[in-house]
Amino acid sequence: MSIRLSLADLTPPRKPRVVPPDSGGTLDIQLTPQEDRLCTLLDQFTNDLKEKRPDLPHVECRIAGGWVRDKLLGGDSNDIDIALSSMMGIAFAELFVPFIEERGLEVRNVTKIARNPEQSKHLETCKATLMGLEIDFVNLRSEEYAVDSRIPTKVEFGTPSQDAMRRDITVNALFYNVHTRSVEDYTGKGLDDLRKGVARTPLPPRETFLDDPLRVLRCIRFASRFGFELEPSLKESVREKDVKDGLVSKISRDRVGEELDKMLKGRDPLHSLQLVEELGVHDEIFYLAPSAKPSGPLAPRKTSVIAATLIAALLSREFKSPLPELHEQLTSHAIADLGTRRRLYLAAALTPFRDVSCPEKKKPIPASEVVIREGVKLGNQNKYLSGVPLLLQAHTILSRPTEEALSDPEHRVATGLLLRDKHISNTLTEAHWSASALFCLVQDLVNLWNLESDTLDLAAASEVIELYNGLAKKVEELELEDAILAPPMLDGKEVCALLGMKPGVWMSNALAKVVEWQLGHPTGTKEECGEFIKEEVKGGRLVVRDVKKSSAEEGGKKKKVKA
């Protein structure tokens, strides 16, 4: 009887939950000397302002949000938001900076941040650098929203409680009062949620998400970052149709991409993608507009988390999966390179789009490219746009690499040319043959996955894995590792000089001949390669003249004769 593996069998243990340091049941913030000095200066300044400027309302200063959370969890943060009770950030900074400078401290990079609602900057604020700390001066505020937009229709000065309630989750709604040197929890749940590892919205989750659906993505990101559990009613609200619709209609795709990129860069991208699948928001995040006219239906969305789980299982050093061990050549590059791992996880998330294309003006392009370019607008940071679609396309070239596929008598040449294909190895997209082979293996295993029973046949999977292990052994035996990425032994200028020709379209064939020769002659020299190229031209196996233009083209370019 065959052994069948479930996702649970292949899922590495989740990253441990980030917990506050043990301090006898209380949650305390330990300030660095710079943070302590900043709090002292803020307290002194507000007292000085109260005395010297009675025309101004008394200002209270609180450190808000992520800094408080991270400090309570025992971490550090140089990014500090100073929330002001009764003054705009710019007006406060204009008075605070001279006060600081009078005391011999340098304040650098004082910058006004203009209002930009699309980037969640609903009011003008001010940034500055003091004692190595990046400081944002903002005001406490309350917000009101329209039904069809995540941009507030009304922003006013608010109380600490109002400001806390407008935030995404309770652990991000904590304040540190610089005057009393104490943590303030106006939601009444933030500190307890931090202890228990719960992601919970301050207001009812439906209200929170309808006001700003971007908070759905932030909940996913923070849950995976800290290993927190999403509160049950929060999960139920995300699955509601109007909340999911808001993810498409109310959020700019750039903001979706920003949150997705942070998930991919986070400590547990697999957990992020598991939550995306569990909450049923794959289509809303990896959005492909109907106007893109996909060539066919997408594969089941579950394939995204299956692929991501397989990547995590195969790359994990701590988790021993029931699958056969992979050859070290297939995993070493991805384990060592963060950018490669991020591209692998994004490609896994886009597995449902693998065999789908969309029409463009000249020719169809992969649907995954449209999603990256338009759906999440990640662009080419980390080679996402140029590299990930190639990863998905590589599967059609490298799937199940058998001896038959490499049947050329010169195995070194055949294997080298296969792995030098631009979809598999590409310095411009930072694609490494081993990562491409690993991803193709994952896609072959996804194809073997029985979606009805949600299991994988171990024997069939082992057979496929051994094919890829065989490929890696061949690369090792033939000493191809460096040759796969090596440039042509003779470059274009050298080939032109060798043959006494001007550059032209013929050069691509000539350089291909150079690469083929150097793969077959690993100890060969440039001179020997040059002689080979001359012989190829002499024997008519390499044509070095460009195709003549048609008479119509030639006629169109004749110079006009002056009358």
Side-chain angles (χ1 to χ4, degrees), residues 266-284:
R267 66 195 285 262
D268 198 350
L270 172 60
H271 189 199
S272 294
L273 295 177
Q274 288 170 330
L275 290 174
V276 168
E277 198 270 334
E278 179 186 350
L279 298 173
V281 290
H282 187 279
D283 288 358
E284 288 73 25

